[in-house]
Amino acid sequence: AIQMTQSPSPLSASVGDRVTITCRTSQDIGSDLAWYQQRPGKAPKLLIYAASRLQSGVPSRFSGSGSGTEFTLAIGSLQPEDFATYFCLQDHNFPLTFGGGTKVDIK
Amino acid sequence: QLHLQESGPELMQPSETLSLTCSLSGDSTSSSDQFWTWIRQSPGDGLEWIGNIYQSGSTYYNPSLNSRVTISVDTSKRQVSLSLKSVTAADTGRYYCARGRYYFGMDVWGQGTTVIIS
């Protein structure tokens, strides 16, 4: 199975900060990576698919980049509703695998 | 707009078979580019993919669940089902169903249902 390594965890930041989260994979997955946001008690929400495509309805302060084995999720200016846990998911090979998650909390 | 709703038992005993249902409502669920997936999350833990089922009926499961898992679709009832045999405490968690689309990822999720094995 493809191993997913997410960093940092946790991540402490303030409203207005630009933050970046990295996901590294154990093998080349092209652009077959998605990013999800999960708020406490809620289901994950798709933010980014195909490494860099913004899901409809997701604010433009979210962006994704990368290919191959290293990927980044950036939040341009952190808003109060962005304090949550973020996961990456590779859908290049079965079994699909998630990163361990990055909890973004208030500094 | 597509809506997914999971349902099933909240409390089970070890060795029993877990059966969960994901009820689909709203938009068309027969589009050929769609598939259905089950994902679970242990308390305070990360996310684990369980398996996918495609419009063709093909299924793919997580090897970590060995041969305990079965996913099926009842198109007439607009339901996706998950069966997990011989459950243990390690199967405790919140179970989600989601709609996936090729290239576009898993874009619609149910709210999840909590299962406790004790």
Side-chain angles (χ1 to χ4, degrees):
Chain A
I2 296 175
Q3 306 302 313
M4 311 287 284
T5 304
Q6 237 182 283
S7 61
S9 187
L11 190 163
S12 295
S14 302
V15 172
D17 284 352
R18 173 180 171 82
V19 301
T20 59
I21 299 169
T22 297
C23 184
R24 291 184 174 86
T25 61
S26 60
Q27 65 186 72
D28 190 334
I29 63 168
S31 296
D32 296 333
L33 186 114
W35 290 97
Y36 295 83
Q37 176 194 67
Q38 187 177 33
R39 296 190 176 109
K42 300 294 187 181
K45 172 188 173 183
L46 178 64
L47 300 175
I48 301 287
Y49 62 91
S52 62
R53 305 293 186 180
L54 190 67
Q55 171 69 356
S56 176
V58 174
S60 59
R61 63 180 179 273
F62 290 92
S63 63
S65 63
S67 67
T69 62
E70 187 158 334
F71 303 85
T72 299
L73 172 71
I75 309 174
S77 176
L78 206 60
Q79 298 301 300
E81 61 268 29
D82 301 336
F83 291 97
T85 300
Y86 295 83
F87 294 92
C88 55
L89 165 72
Q90 69 79 20
D91 58 1
H92 183 73
N93 277 349
F94 292 118
L96 307 188
T97 44
F98 287 90
T102 294
K103 184 176 181 180
V104 179
D105 58 26
I106 301 174
K107 185 186 293 183
Chain B
Q1 189 169 356
L2 182 65
H3 182 72
L4 309 183
Q5 178 69 60
E6 304 90 343
S7 60
E10 289 189 28
L11 184 61
M12 299 182 62
Q13 295 187 348
S15 81
E16 292 183 330
T17 295
L18 170 65
S19 294
L20 297 177
T21 298
C22 176
S23 298
L24 317 176
S25 60
D27 280 354
S28 170
T29 57
S30 61
S31 174
S32 61
D33 71 336
Q34 291 182 134
F35 58 91
W36 309 103
T37 188
W38 284 94
I39 288 162
R40 70 181 183 180
Q41 187 167 34
S42 301
D45 215 338
L47 296 161
E48 180 182 30
W49 173 74
I50 297 172
N52 288 358
I53 186 165
Y54 294 83
Q55 297 292 335
S56 64
S58 297
T59 53
Y60 296 85
Y61 301 128
N62 195 325
S64 69
L65 297 170
N66 299 319
S67 57
R68 297 194 294 134
V69 63
T70 302
I71 297 174
S72 59
V73 171
D74 187 326
T75 305
S76 63
K77 292 184 178 178
R78 303 190 89 198
Q79 291 179 340
V80 183
S81 297
L82 170 69
S83 174
L84 184 64
K85 297 185 290 188
S86 303
V87 297
T88 70
D91 295 311
T92 291
R94 193 158 182 87
Y95 286 72
Y96 297 97
C97 63
R99 188 270 300 267
R101 291 194 299 156
Y102 294 109
Y103 181 74
F104 295 100
M106 300 168 195
D107 59 347
V108 181
W109 293 62
Q111 64 185 23
T113 187
T114 296
V115 180
I116 298 171
I117 314 298
S118 177

